[in-house]
Amino acid sequence: MEPLSIIVRTICDIFAWFLAVFGAYVIIHGHLSPGGGFQGGAVVATFMALLLVSHGGKKLLSFVKPGLYSWAETTGLLLFIGTGFAGLTTAFFYNFLAGEGGLFGAVVPLGANSGILNSSGTIAVMNMAVGLEVIGGLSLIILYMFKGIRLYDDTGREETGHDR
Amino acid sequence: MKKSVLFLIALLVVVGTLWGALDGIHPFGEVDKAPMDDYYIENAQRERNVNNLVTSVVFDYRGFDTLGEAAVLFTAVCSVLAVFRKGGYD
Amino acid sequence: MNGLAHTAVLAAIVVAGFFAVWFRDLLSSVVSLGVFSLLLSLEFYILKAPDVAIAEAGIGAGLTTAIYIIALRGCNVLRKGGGGGRK
């Protein structure tokens, strides 16, 4: 698959990194600002889609490891379910970290949004877990849908091999 | 000829049903109030120490729904990988 | 002022949806669908649902457009050189 023109490639090279950083911001600040794990993960997964559309698969698939994304997805799902089971002494999905001090345990004052990042207990952990899972899942869908289609070059011959 | 008559009857039925349903909707911009909303707004910040109420509902009060959503995404990824894998029966 | 912006965004959504159906060139149609999704996320933001707006902008305008373009490439509709489509 041939890459797109140099204008598209340059713009996608620059803006993909901003999108990744913005998605990480949306995930980490999920309990303070609008957004959360699913939204931020979708924004970060756009990184892979932009690079794949602009550069083509020949350049990108040579150094992208799908095992990393598979690891991210399974780790995110296991962390999410594990955090749900960790509060099982009281109830399933009980927020056992909130307001206890320590990790994500700060007490927020009532009223307007005070912007304390170290608050909200297991909600922040679950945000990061779901974000990790969505990053892995949507990137895997894009990558495997691209690897699964058949591509033909100009002479009508099918492009084969791993690094097409 | 007969087809168009049937189509007109079906169109009238659908439009009449939708019109009757639209009549019962509350006006735009004025939401229905439920006691659960007031409970979330009053108590979420004190109980769970969180500033974003939407996230507190999604991940804490209704965390089981989010578990189902994560399972749906995992199933979708598994099915895509099963369809587009290498080799197979071809 | 808010009502004016609301009406303008709704009219632009209708125009973008019309062009998504009207174009014969498939790449232009897909780009018009991406514009549709972006305007829809703006509409969600005007209606004070920023969570849904972020999700719509990420999935509707980003991932779905990319999947459509990959599918067009798989159907050999696009030619090399990053140009326009082929009828």
Side-chain angles (χ1 to χ4, degrees):
Chain A
M1 177 166 152
E2 296 290 327
L4 290 175
S5 67
I6 189 169
I7 301 172
V8 182
R9 270 182 287 152
T10 310
I11 296 295
C12 286
D13 273 347
I14 294 172
F15 275 94
W17 298 101
F18 285 107
L19 274 176
V21 172
F22 176 67
Y25 165 79
V26 169
I27 291 175
I28 291 174
H29 287 241
H31 53 284
L32 294 178
S33 60
F38 190 76
Q39 288 91 350
V43 172
V44 176
T46 314
F47 177 77
M48 181 56 61
L50 272 183
L51 290 187
L52 199 56
V53 167
S54 64
H55 283 277
K58 186 182 288 184
K59 196 174 189 179
L60 198 63
L61 288 181
S62 57
F63 60 84
V64 165
K65 293 181 176 60
L68 182 66
Y69 291 104
S70 183
W71 175 86
E73 195 201 351
T74 50
T75 306
L77 193 57
L78 283 179
L79 187 60
F80 183 67
I81 298 177
T83 316
F85 270 108
L88 201 58
T89 54
T90 305
F92 195 43
F93 278 102
Y94 180 69
N95 197 342
F96 63 97
L97 283 176
E100 302 284 332
L103 183 67
F104 297 124
V107 177
V108 299
L110 294 181
N113 195 344
S114 49
I116 302 172
L117 191 60
N118 191 18
S119 65
S120 83
T122 59
I123 295 175
V125 181
M126 284 180 181
N127 260 320
M128 290 172 200
V130 171
L132 209 59
E133 191 213 342
V134 173
I135 290 171
L138 293 181
S139 299
L140 271 182
I141 285 178
I142 291 276
L143 276 178
Y144 273 83
M145 275 188 174
F146 182 78
K147 283 171 81 169
I149 61 175
R150 293 182 174 175
L151 294 170
Y152 298 91
D153 57 3
D154 280 344
T155 60
R157 196 166 45 82
E158 183 175 356
E159 299 180 37
T160 54
H162 174 66
D163 55 351
R164 57 184 182 175
Chain B
M1 186 59 199
K2 203 172 176 186
K3 245 182 195 175
S4 60
V5 172
L6 276 179
F7 172 74
L8 273 180
I9 292 174
L11 186 70
L12 278 180
V13 167
V14 168
V15 166
T17 315
L18 281 183
W19 196 264
L22 275 179
D23 223 20
I25 286 184
H26 56 80
F28 182 73
E30 299 175 11
V31 295
D32 284 339
K33 296 200 72 171
M36 207 64 204
D37 306 343
D38 291 335
Y39 179 79
Y40 289 147
I41 293 171
E42 296 286 332
N43 295 324
Q45 209 173 13
R46 190 182 312 121
E47 284 181 358
R48 299 291 191 254
N49 287 297
V50 65
N51 282 319
N52 191 355
L53 290 190
V54 177
T55 313
S56 83
V57 171
V58 166
F59 283 102
D60 199 322
Y61 289 109
R62 297 285 181 263
F64 209 69
D65 286 349
T66 311
L67 178 63
E69 180 194 343
V72 164
L73 183 67
F74 187 75
T75 313
V77 173
C78 283
S79 48
V80 165
L81 260 63
V83 168
F84 287 109
R85 67 181 175 177
K86 276 198 169 180
Y89 296 105
D90 212 359
Chain C
M1 186 57 204
N2 200 6
L4 185 65
H6 196 172
T7 313
V9 168
L10 282 177
I13 283 176
V14 173
V15 171
F18 170 73
F19 275 115
V21 182
W22 186 71
F23 276 130
R24 305 303 296 172
D25 185 14
L26 286 178
L27 184 63
S28 307
S29 185
V30 166
V31 170
S32 179
L33 208 59
V35 172
F36 178 85
S37 283
L38 198 64
L39 288 171
L40 194 61
S41 81
L42 191 60
E43 173 67 25
F44 279 133
Y45 181 71
I46 289 174
L47 289 179
K48 293 173 183 159
D51 289 284
V52 192
I54 294 174
E56 177 71 29
I59 292 180
L63 287 176
T64 312
T65 310
I67 287 178
Y68 272 128
I69 289 177
I70 287 171
L72 287 182
R73 292 211 159 204
C75 299
N76 208 8
V77 172
L78 304 184
R79 306 308 294 169
K80 57 179 288 188
R86 187 178 57 121
K87 293 285 163 56

